[in-house]
Amino acid sequence: AVANSLAAVSAGASVVQGTINGIGERCGNADLVSIAACLALKSGGAYSLLTPQSVPRLTELSRYVDDVANLTPNNGAPFVGRSAFAHKGGMHAHAMALAPESYEHLPPDTVGNTRRVLVSELSGKSNIAALTSTHGVVDSEVTKAVLAEVQRREALGYQYEAADASFALVVSKAMRNFTPHFKRIRYQVEVSGYGSIRHGSNTYARSAVDASHMEYERSEATVKLALPGGGYMHEVAE
């Protein structure tokens, strides 16, 4: 739909029908965000449908409409998606440090988006260096230690692509300035369920039954922690 709309404009059409983010019934509509970005940034100045101040707010507009419509933003959306300027492989991150235009068709902030360097089993030293620099890391040995720890944990099933706080903890431990806020002594989680069995007009309430007849469920968690000052915290919640 976006490609057809752009071709129609090139052929002389003066009106494009669409919606923000392509929201609509069945397969949706032409995405006005992508169309506007292409006409404003990819047409060599032939179309001035948006003011220079409006183009950098396209990402904000896209996410605002999704928020109002109670929809999850499309990470893969052109221009404005969270993955539109994401770099995962080590080669990508290294190239980005030397020549961003080699992997990005325009600077992310042109449309109000941001560049993201992801951490994964495919990460190389450049990925880690780009991320650890935001934590003030300048020691190459620390960078190597963080990379080795991330790859080790990824092999065990951990994921750091959307876990910035967890990655920050890895960096802090590699820098040997991590101070634990508590120590877990023990924890327990219990999930129980009850239901009712009907026989004619008689009802036996809260009788334990199989999950397919579950009417009442309860989860209870208990945790006991040791605090740095020598005290303890013992919490129960359901």
Side-chain angles (χ1 to χ4, degrees):
V2 171
N4 287 341
S5 298
L6 294 173
V9 171
S10 298
S14 58
V15 177
V16 172
Q17 178 179 332
T19 60
I20 300 298
N21 297 333
I23 295 174
E25 296 179 352
R26 295 178 292 278
C27 298
N29 294 281
D31 182 4
L32 289 180
V33 174
S34 294
I35 294 172
C38 286
L39 294 178
L41 302 171
K42 303 291 186 179
S43 62
Y47 306 99
S48 56
L49 69 165
L50 293 176
T51 64
Q53 296 77 21
S54 298
V55 177
R57 301 190 67 183
L58 283 175
T59 300
E60 177 187 352
L61 170 64
S62 171
R63 295 176 184 176
Y64 172 76
V65 171
D66 276 334
D67 185 47
V68 172
N70 197 28
L71 297 174
T72 301
N74 177 12
N75 289 337
F79 295 101
V80 298
R82 291 188 73 244
S83 300
F85 298 95
H87 306 280
K88 186 174 183 178
M91 182 185 297
H92 283 214
H94 184 65
M96 289 303 305
L98 300 176
E101 64 276 7
S102 62
Y103 278 100
E104 293 178 348
H105 59 105
L106 50 80
D109 56 3
T110 304
V111 291
N113 209 337
T114 56
R115 178 179 299 132
R116 297 173 60 225
V117 178
L118 306 180
V119 179
S120 75
E121 75 282 359
L122 300 178
S123 295
K125 186 177 179 180
S126 296
N127 295 63
I128 302 301
L131 289 170
T132 55
S133 62
T134 63
H135 297 276
V137 176
V138 294
D139 188 345
S140 61
E141 293 302 316
V142 173
T143 301
K144 291 179 181 178
V146 172
L147 175 59
E149 180 65 8
V150 167
Q151 291 178 334
R152 184 185 74 83
R153 287 177 170 269
E154 287 272 351
L156 295 174
Y158 291 84
Q159 292 186 350
Y160 290 92
E161 289 185 23
D164 294 339
S166 296
F167 179 76
L169 289 176
V170 173
V171 174
S172 181
K173 290 178 181 178
M175 296 176 68
R176 300 186 184 279
N177 61 6
F178 172 72
T179 301
H181 297 287
F182 60 85
K183 180 180 179 180
R184 188 187 72 229
I185 298 176
R186 67 173 181 271
Y187 75 95
Q188 178 179 332
V189 178
E190 177 182 337
V191 179
S192 56
Y194 301 91
S196 60
I197 305 175
R198 296 180 180 273
H199 294 288
S201 59
N202 297 322
T203 301
Y204 303 91
R206 294 173 62 95
S207 299
V209 294
D210 63 273
S212 62
H213 296 85
M214 201 73 70
E215 293 185 3
Y216 173 78
E217 291 184 328
R218 185 184 70 176
S219 298
E220 182 177 276
T222 304
V223 61
K224 186 175 183 180
L225 308 174
L227 304 179
Y232 293 92
M233 179 180 291
H234 196 182
E235 296 287 340
V236 179
E238 65 175 2

